[in-house]
CSV table of all heavy atoms in Angstrom, one decimal:
chain,number,residue,atom,x,y,z
K,1,SER,N,-22.5,-44.5,28.1
K,1,SER,CA,-22.5,-43.9,26.8
K,1,SER,C,-22.3,-45.0,25.7
K,1,SER,O,-21.3,-45.8,25.8
K,1,SER,CB,-21.4,-42.9,26.7
K,1,SER,OG,-21.2,-42.5,25.3
K,2,VAL,N,-23.2,-45.0,24.7
K,2,VAL,CA,-23.1,-46.0,23.7
K,2,VAL,C,-21.8,-45.8,22.9
K,2,VAL,O,-21.1,-46.7,22.5
K,2,VAL,CB,-24.3,-46.0,22.7
K,2,VAL,CG1,-24.1,-46.9,21.5
K,2,VAL,CG2,-25.6,-46.4,23.5
K,3,ALA,N,-21.5,-44.6,22.5
K,3,ALA,CA,-20.3,-44.2,21.7
K,3,ALA,C,-19.1,-44.7,22.5
K,3,ALA,O,-18.2,-45.3,21.9
K,3,ALA,CB,-20.3,-42.8,21.4
K,4,LEU,N,-19.0,-44.3,23.8
K,4,LEU,CA,-17.7,-44.6,24.5
K,4,LEU,C,-17.6,-46.1,24.7
K,4,LEU,O,-16.4,-46.6,25.0
K,4,LEU,CB,-17.8,-43.9,25.9
K,4,LEU,CG,-17.6,-42.4,25.8
K,4,LEU,CD1,-17.7,-41.8,27.3
K,4,LEU,CD2,-16.3,-42.0,25.2
K,5,SER,N,-18.6,-46.9,24.7
K,5,SER,CA,-18.5,-48.3,24.8
K,5,SER,C,-17.8,-48.9,23.7
K,5,SER,O,-17.3,-50.1,23.8
K,5,SER,CB,-19.9,-48.9,25.0
K,5,SER,OG,-20.6,-48.8,23.8
K,6,HIS,N,-17.6,-48.2,22.6
K,6,HIS,CA,-16.9,-48.7,21.4
K,6,HIS,C,-15.4,-48.4,21.4
K,6,HIS,O,-14.7,-48.8,20.6
K,6,HIS,CB,-17.5,-48.1,20.1
K,6,HIS,CG,-19.0,-48.5,19.9
K,6,HIS,ND1,-19.4,-49.8,20.0
K,6,HIS,CD2,-20.1,-47.8,19.6
K,6,HIS,CE1,-20.7,-49.9,19.7
K,6,HIS,NE2,-21.2,-48.7,19.5
K,7,GLY,N,-15.0,-47.6,22.4
K,7,GLY,CA,-13.6,-47.2,22.5
K,7,GLY,C,-13.3,-45.7,22.7
K,7,GLY,O,-14.2,-44.9,22.4
K,8,GLU,N,-12.1,-45.4,23.1
K,8,GLU,CA,-11.7,-44.0,23.3
K,8,GLU,C,-11.8,-43.2,22.1
K,8,GLU,O,-12.0,-41.9,22.1
K,8,GLU,CB,-10.3,-44.0,23.9
K,8,GLU,CG,-10.2,-44.6,25.3
K,8,GLU,CD,-8.8,-44.4,25.9
K,8,GLU,OE1,-7.9,-43.9,25.2
K,8,GLU,OE2,-8.6,-44.9,27.0
K,9,GLU,N,-11.6,-43.8,20.9
K,9,GLU,CA,-11.6,-43.0,19.7
K,9,GLU,C,-13.0,-42.5,19.3
K,9,GLU,O,-13.2,-41.6,18.4
K,9,GLU,CB,-11.1,-43.8,18.5
K,9,GLU,CG,-11.9,-45.1,18.2
K,9,GLU,CD,-11.5,-46.3,18.9
K,9,GLU,OE1,-11.0,-46.2,20.0
K,9,GLU,OE2,-11.7,-47.4,18.4
K,10,TYR,N,-14.0,-42.9,20.1
K,10,TYR,CA,-15.4,-42.4,19.9
K,10,TYR,C,-15.8,-41.4,20.9
K,10,TYR,O,-16.9,-41.1,21.1
K,10,TYR,CB,-16.3,-43.6,19.9
K,10,TYR,CG,-16.1,-44.6,18.8
K,10,TYR,CD1,-15.3,-45.7,18.9
K,10,TYR,CD2,-16.7,-44.3,17.5
K,10,TYR,CE1,-15.1,-46.6,17.9
K,10,TYR,CE2,-16.5,-45.2,16.5
K,10,TYR,CZ,-15.7,-46.3,16.6
K,10,TYR,OH,-15.5,-47.2,15.6
K,11,ASP,N,-14.7,-40.8,21.6
K,11,ASP,CA,-15.0,-39.8,22.6
K,11,ASP,C,-15.2,-38.5,21.9
K,11,ASP,O,-14.3,-37.6,21.9
K,11,ASP,CB,-13.8,-39.7,23.6
K,11,ASP,CG,-14.1,-38.9,24.8
K,11,ASP,OD1,-15.3,-38.5,25.0
K,11,ASP,OD2,-13.2,-38.6,25.6
K,12,TYR,N,-16.3,-38.3,21.3
K,12,TYR,CA,-16.6,-37.1,20.5
K,12,TYR,C,-16.7,-35.8,21.3
K,12,TYR,O,-17.1,-35.9,22.4
K,12,TYR,CB,-17.9,-37.3,19.7
K,12,TYR,CG,-17.9,-38.5,18.8
K,12,TYR,CD1,-18.8,-39.6,19.0
K,12,TYR,CD2,-16.9,-38.7,17.8
K,12,TYR,CE1,-18.8,-40.7,18.1
K,12,TYR,CE2,-16.9,-39.8,16.9
K,12,TYR,CZ,-17.9,-40.8,17.1
K,12,TYR,OH,-17.9,-41.9,16.3
K,13,ALA,N,-16.4,-34.7,20.7
K,13,ALA,CA,-16.6,-33.4,21.3
K,13,ALA,C,-18.0,-33.1,21.4
K,13,ALA,O,-18.8,-33.3,20.4
K,13,ALA,CB,-15.8,-32.3,20.5
K,14,ILE,N,-18.5,-32.5,22.5
K,14,ILE,CA,-19.9,-32.1,22.6
K,14,ILE,C,-20.1,-30.6,22.6
K,14,ILE,O,-21.1,-30.1,22.2
K,14,ILE,CB,-20.4,-32.7,23.9
K,14,ILE,CG1,-19.6,-32.2,25.2
K,14,ILE,CG2,-20.5,-34.2,23.9
K,14,ILE,CD1,-20.3,-32.6,26.5
K,15,LEU,N,-19.0,-29.8,23.0
K,15,LEU,CA,-19.1,-28.4,22.9
K,15,LEU,C,-17.7,-27.8,23.1
K,15,LEU,O,-16.8,-28.5,23.5
K,15,LEU,CB,-20.0,-27.8,24.0
K,15,LEU,CG,-19.7,-28.1,25.5
K,15,LEU,CD1,-18.7,-27.1,26.0
K,15,LEU,CD2,-20.9,-28.0,26.3
K,16,ASN,N,-17.6,-26.5,22.7
K,16,ASN,CA,-16.3,-25.8,23.0
K,16,ASN,C,-16.6,-24.3,23.2
K,16,ASN,O,-17.7,-23.8,22.8
K,16,ASN,CB,-15.3,-26.0,21.9
K,16,ASN,CG,-15.8,-25.4,20.5
K,16,ASN,OD1,-16.1,-24.2,20.4
K,16,ASN,ND2,-15.9,-26.3,19.5
K,17,ILE,N,-15.7,-23.7,23.9
K,17,ILE,CA,-15.8,-22.2,24.1
K,17,ILE,C,-14.7,-21.6,23.2
K,17,ILE,O,-13.5,-21.8,23.4
K,17,ILE,CB,-15.5,-21.8,25.6
K,17,ILE,CG1,-16.5,-22.6,26.5
K,17,ILE,CG2,-15.7,-20.3,25.8
K,17,ILE,CD1,-17.9,-22.3,26.3
K,18,ALA,N,-15.1,-20.9,22.2
K,18,ALA,CA,-14.2,-20.3,21.2
K,18,ALA,C,-14.2,-18.8,21.3
K,18,ALA,O,-15.2,-18.2,21.7
K,18,ALA,CB,-14.6,-20.8,19.8
K,19,LYS,N,-13.1,-18.2,20.9
K,19,LYS,CA,-13.0,-16.8,20.9
K,19,LYS,C,-14.0,-16.2,19.8
K,19,LYS,O,-14.0,-16.7,18.7
K,19,LYS,CB,-11.6,-16.4,20.5
K,19,LYS,CG,-11.2,-14.9,20.6
K,19,LYS,CD,-11.2,-14.5,22.1
K,19,LYS,CE,-10.8,-13.0,22.3
K,19,LYS,NZ,-10.7,-12.6,23.7
K,20,ALA,N,-14.7,-15.2,20.2
K,20,ALA,CA,-15.7,-14.7,19.3
K,20,ALA,C,-15.0,-14.0,18.2
K,20,ALA,O,-14.0,-13.3,18.4
K,20,ALA,CB,-16.6,-13.7,20.1
K,21,LYS,N,-15.5,-14.1,17.0
K,21,LYS,CA,-14.9,-13.5,15.8
K,21,LYS,C,-15.2,-12.0,15.8
K,21,LYS,O,-16.4,-11.6,15.7
K,21,LYS,CB,-15.3,-14.1,14.5
K,21,LYS,CG,-14.8,-15.6,14.4
K,21,LYS,CD,-15.2,-16.2,13.1
K,21,LYS,CE,-14.6,-17.6,12.9
K,21,LYS,NZ,-15.0,-18.2,11.6
K,22,ILE,N,-14.2,-11.1,15.9
K,22,ILE,CA,-14.4,-9.7,15.8
K,22,ILE,C,-13.8,-9.1,14.6
K,22,ILE,O,-12.6,-9.4,14.3
K,22,ILE,CB,-13.8,-9.0,17.1
K,22,ILE,CG1,-14.5,-9.6,18.4
K,22,ILE,CG2,-14.0,-7.5,17.0
K,22,ILE,CD1,-13.9,-9.0,19.6
K,23,ARG,N,-14.5,-8.4,13.8
K,23,ARG,CA,-14.0,-7.9,12.6
K,23,ARG,C,-12.9,-6.8,12.9
K,23,ARG,O,-13.1,-5.9,13.7
K,23,ARG,CB,-15.1,-7.3,11.7
K,23,ARG,CG,-16.1,-8.3,11.2
K,23,ARG,CD,-17.2,-7.6,10.5
K,23,ARG,NE,-16.8,-6.8,9.4
K,23,ARG,CZ,-16.6,-7.3,8.2
K,23,ARG,NH1,-16.8,-8.5,7.9
K,23,ARG,NH2,-16.2,-6.5,7.2
K,24,ASP,N,-11.8,-6.9,12.2
K,24,ASP,CA,-10.7,-5.9,12.3
K,24,ASP,C,-11.1,-4.6,11.6
K,24,ASP,O,-11.7,-4.7,10.5
K,24,ASP,CB,-9.5,-6.5,11.6
K,24,ASP,CG,-8.2,-5.7,12.0
K,24,ASP,OD1,-8.3,-4.5,12.0
K,24,ASP,OD2,-7.2,-6.3,12.3
K,25,GLU,N,-10.8,-3.5,12.2
K,25,GLU,CA,-11.2,-2.2,11.6
K,25,GLU,C,-10.5,-2.0,10.3
K,25,GLU,O,-11.1,-1.4,9.4
K,25,GLU,CB,-10.8,-1.1,12.6
K,25,GLU,CG,-11.6,-1.0,13.9
K,25,GLU,CD,-11.2,0.2,14.7
K,25,GLU,OE1,-10.4,1.0,14.3
K,25,GLU,OE2,-11.8,0.3,15.8
K,26,GLU,N,-9.3,-2.5,10.2
K,26,GLU,CA,-8.6,-2.4,8.9
K,26,GLU,C,-9.3,-3.2,7.8
K,26,GLU,O,-9.3,-2.8,6.6
K,26,GLU,CB,-7.1,-2.9,9.0
K,26,GLU,CG,-6.3,-2.0,9.9
K,26,GLU,CD,-4.8,-2.4,10.0
K,26,GLU,OE1,-4.5,-3.5,9.4
K,26,GLU,OE2,-4.0,-1.8,10.7
K,27,GLU,N,-9.8,-4.4,8.2
K,27,GLU,CA,-10.5,-5.2,7.2
K,27,GLU,C,-11.8,-4.4,6.7
K,27,GLU,O,-12.1,-4.4,5.5
K,27,GLU,CB,-10.9,-6.5,7.8
K,27,GLU,CG,-9.8,-7.4,8.1
K,27,GLU,CD,-10.2,-8.7,8.6
K,27,GLU,OE1,-11.5,-8.9,8.9
K,27,GLU,OE2,-9.4,-9.6,8.9
K,28,ASP,N,-12.5,-3.7,7.7
K,28,ASP,CA,-13.6,-3.0,7.3
K,28,ASP,C,-13.3,-1.8,6.3
K,28,ASP,O,-14.0,-1.6,5.4
K,28,ASP,CB,-14.3,-2.4,8.6
K,28,ASP,CG,-14.9,-3.5,9.4
K,28,ASP,OD1,-15.2,-4.6,8.9
K,28,ASP,OD2,-15.2,-3.2,10.6
K,29,GLU,N,-12.1,-1.1,6.6
K,29,GLU,CA,-11.7,0.0,5.8
K,29,GLU,C,-11.3,-0.5,4.4
K,29,GLU,O,-11.6,0.1,3.4
K,29,GLU,CB,-10.5,0.7,6.4
K,29,GLU,CG,-10.9,1.4,7.7
K,29,GLU,CD,-9.6,2.0,8.4
K,29,GLU,OE1,-8.5,1.8,7.9
K,29,GLU,OE2,-9.8,2.7,9.4
K,30,ASP,N,-10.6,-1.7,4.4
K,30,ASP,CA,-10.2,-2.3,3.1
K,30,ASP,C,-11.5,-2.6,2.2
K,30,ASP,O,-11.5,-2.4,1.0
K,30,ASP,CB,-9.4,-3.5,3.3
K,30,ASP,CG,-8.0,-3.1,3.8
K,30,ASP,OD1,-7.6,-2.0,3.7
K,30,ASP,OD2,-7.3,-4.1,4.4
K,31,GLU,N,-12.5,-3.2,2.9
K,31,GLU,CA,-13.7,-3.6,2.2
K,31,GLU,C,-14.4,-2.3,1.7
K,31,GLU,O,-15.0,-2.3,0.6
K,31,GLU,CB,-14.6,-4.4,3.1
K,31,GLU,CG,-14.1,-5.8,3.3
K,31,GLU,CD,-15.1,-6.7,4.1
K,31,GLU,OE1,-16.2,-6.2,4.3
K,31,GLU,OE2,-14.8,-7.8,4.5
K,32,ALA,N,-14.5,-1.3,2.6
K,32,ALA,CA,-15.1,-0.1,2.2
K,32,ALA,C,-14.4,0.6,1.0
K,32,ALA,O,-15.1,1.1,0.0
K,32,ALA,CB,-15.2,0.9,3.3
K,33,ALA,N,-13.1,0.6,1.0
K,33,ALA,CA,-12.3,1.1,-0.1
K,33,ALA,C,-12.6,0.3,-1.4
K,33,ALA,O,-12.7,0.9,-2.5
K,33,ALA,CB,-10.8,1.1,0.2
K,34,ALA,N,-12.6,-1.0,-1.3
K,34,ALA,CA,-12.9,-1.8,-2.4
K,34,ALA,C,-14.2,-1.6,-3.0
K,34,ALA,O,-14.4,-1.5,-4.2
K,34,ALA,CB,-12.7,-3.3,-2.0
K,35,GLU,N,-15.2,-1.5,-2.1
K,35,GLU,CA,-16.6,-1.2,-2.6
K,35,GLU,C,-16.7,0.2,-3.3
K,35,GLU,O,-17.3,0.4,-4.3
K,35,GLU,CB,-17.6,-1.2,-1.4
K,35,GLU,CG,-17.8,-2.6,-0.9
K,35,GLU,CD,-18.7,-2.6,0.3
K,35,GLU,OE1,-19.1,-1.5,0.8
K,35,GLU,OE2,-18.9,-3.7,0.9
K,36,GLY,N,-15.9,1.2,-2.7
K,36,GLY,CA,-15.9,2.5,-3.3
K,36,GLY,C,-15.3,2.5,-4.7
K,36,GLY,O,-15.7,3.1,-5.6
K,37,GLY,N,-14.2,1.7,-4.8
K,37,GLY,CA,-13.5,1.5,-6.1
K,37,GLY,C,-14.4,0.9,-7.2
K,37,GLY,O,-14.4,1.3,-8.3
K,38,GLU,N,-15.2,-0.1,-6.7
K,38,GLU,CA,-16.1,-0.7,-7.7
K,38,GLU,C,-17.2,0.2,-8.1
K,38,GLU,O,-17.5,0.3,-9.3
K,38,GLU,CB,-16.8,-1.9,-7.0
K,38,GLU,CG,-15.8,-3.1,-6.8
K,38,GLU,CD,-16.4,-4.2,-6.0
K,38,GLU,OE1,-17.6,-4.1,-5.7
K,38,GLU,OE2,-15.7,-5.2,-5.8
K,39,GLU,N,-17.7,1.1,-7.2
K,39,GLU,CA,-18.7,2.0,-7.5
K,39,GLU,C,-18.2,3.1,-8.5
K,39,GLU,O,-18.8,3.5,-9.5
K,39,GLU,CB,-19.3,2.7,-6.3
K,39,GLU,CG,-20.1,1.8,-5.4
K,39,GLU,CD,-20.5,2.5,-4.1
K,39,GLU,OE1,-20.2,3.7,-4.0
K,39,GLU,OE2,-21.2,1.8,-3.3
K,40,SER,N,-16.9,3.5,-8.2
K,40,SER,CA,-16.3,4.5,-9.1
K,40,SER,C,-16.1,4.0,-10.5
K,40,SER,O,-16.3,4.6,-11.5
K,40,SER,CB,-14.9,4.9,-8.5
K,40,SER,OG,-14.3,5.8,-9.4
K,41,ALA,N,-15.7,2.7,-10.6
K,41,ALA,CA,-15.5,2.1,-11.9
K,41,ALA,C,-16.8,2.0,-12.7
K,41,ALA,O,-16.8,2.2,-13.9
K,41,ALA,CB,-14.8,0.7,-11.7
K,42,GLU,N,-17.8,1.6,-11.9
K,42,GLU,CA,-19.2,1.5,-12.6
K,42,GLU,C,-19.6,2.8,-13.1
K,42,GLU,O,-20.2,2.9,-14.2
K,42,GLU,CB,-20.2,0.9,-11.6
K,42,GLU,CG,-20.0,-0.5,-11.2
K,42,GLU,CD,-20.9,-1.0,-10.2
K,42,GLU,OE1,-21.7,-0.2,-9.7
K,42,GLU,OE2,-20.9,-2.2,-9.8
K,43,LYS,N,-19.4,3.9,-12.3
K,43,LYS,CA,-19.8,5.2,-12.8
K,43,LYS,C,-19.0,5.6,-14.0
K,43,LYS,O,-19.5,6.2,-14.9
K,43,LYS,CB,-19.6,6.2,-11.6
K,43,LYS,CG,-20.6,6.1,-10.5
K,43,LYS,CD,-20.3,7.1,-9.4
K,43,LYS,CE,-21.3,7.0,-8.3
K,43,LYS,NZ,-21.1,8.0,-7.2
K,44,ASP,N,-17.7,5.4,-14.0
K,44,ASP,CA,-16.8,5.7,-15.2
K,44,ASP,C,-17.3,5.0,-16.4
K,44,ASP,O,-17.3,5.5,-17.5
K,44,ASP,CB,-15.4,5.4,-14.9
K,44,ASP,CG,-14.7,6.3,-13.8
K,44,ASP,OD1,-15.4,7.4,-13.6
K,44,ASP,OD2,-13.7,5.9,-13.3
K,45,GLN,N,-17.7,3.7,-16.2
K,45,GLN,CA,-18.2,2.9,-17.3
K,45,GLN,C,-19.5,3.5,-17.9
K,45,GLN,O,-19.6,3.6,-19.1
K,45,GLN,CB,-18.4,1.4,-16.9
K,45,GLN,CG,-18.8,0.5,-18.1
K,45,GLN,CD,-18.9,-0.9,-17.6
K,45,GLN,OE1,-18.6,-1.2,-16.5
K,45,GLN,NE2,-19.4,-1.7,-18.5
K,46,GLU,N,-20.4,3.8,-17.0
K,46,GLU,CA,-21.7,4.4,-17.4
K,46,GLU,C,-21.4,5.7,-18.1
K,46,GLU,O,-22.1,6.0,-19.1
K,46,GLU,CB,-22.6,4.6,-16.2
K,46,GLU,CG,-23.1,3.3,-15.6
K,46,GLU,CD,-23.9,3.6,-14.3
K,46,GLU,OE1,-24.0,4.8,-14.0
K,46,GLU,OE2,-24.4,2.6,-13.7
K,47,SER,N,-20.5,6.6,-17.6
K,47,SER,CA,-20.2,7.8,-18.2
K,47,SER,C,-19.6,7.7,-19.6
K,47,SER,O,-20.0,8.4,-20.6
K,47,SER,CB,-19.2,8.6,-17.4
K,47,SER,OG,-18.8,9.8,-18.0
K,48,GLY,N,-18.7,6.7,-19.8
K,48,GLY,CA,-18.2,6.4,-21.1
K,48,GLY,C,-19.2,6.0,-22.1
K,48,GLY,O,-19.2,6.3,-23.3
């Protein structure tokens, strides 16, 4: 390996196995509530 011939500090990572990111149900609910609040505010503004 050309990189390794320059020293151990060049022992670069080639791959990893990481935990898949799974969306939390509470995060989904919070986002849905936030979106609902924004839509409600827009409607109130249009009504005004």
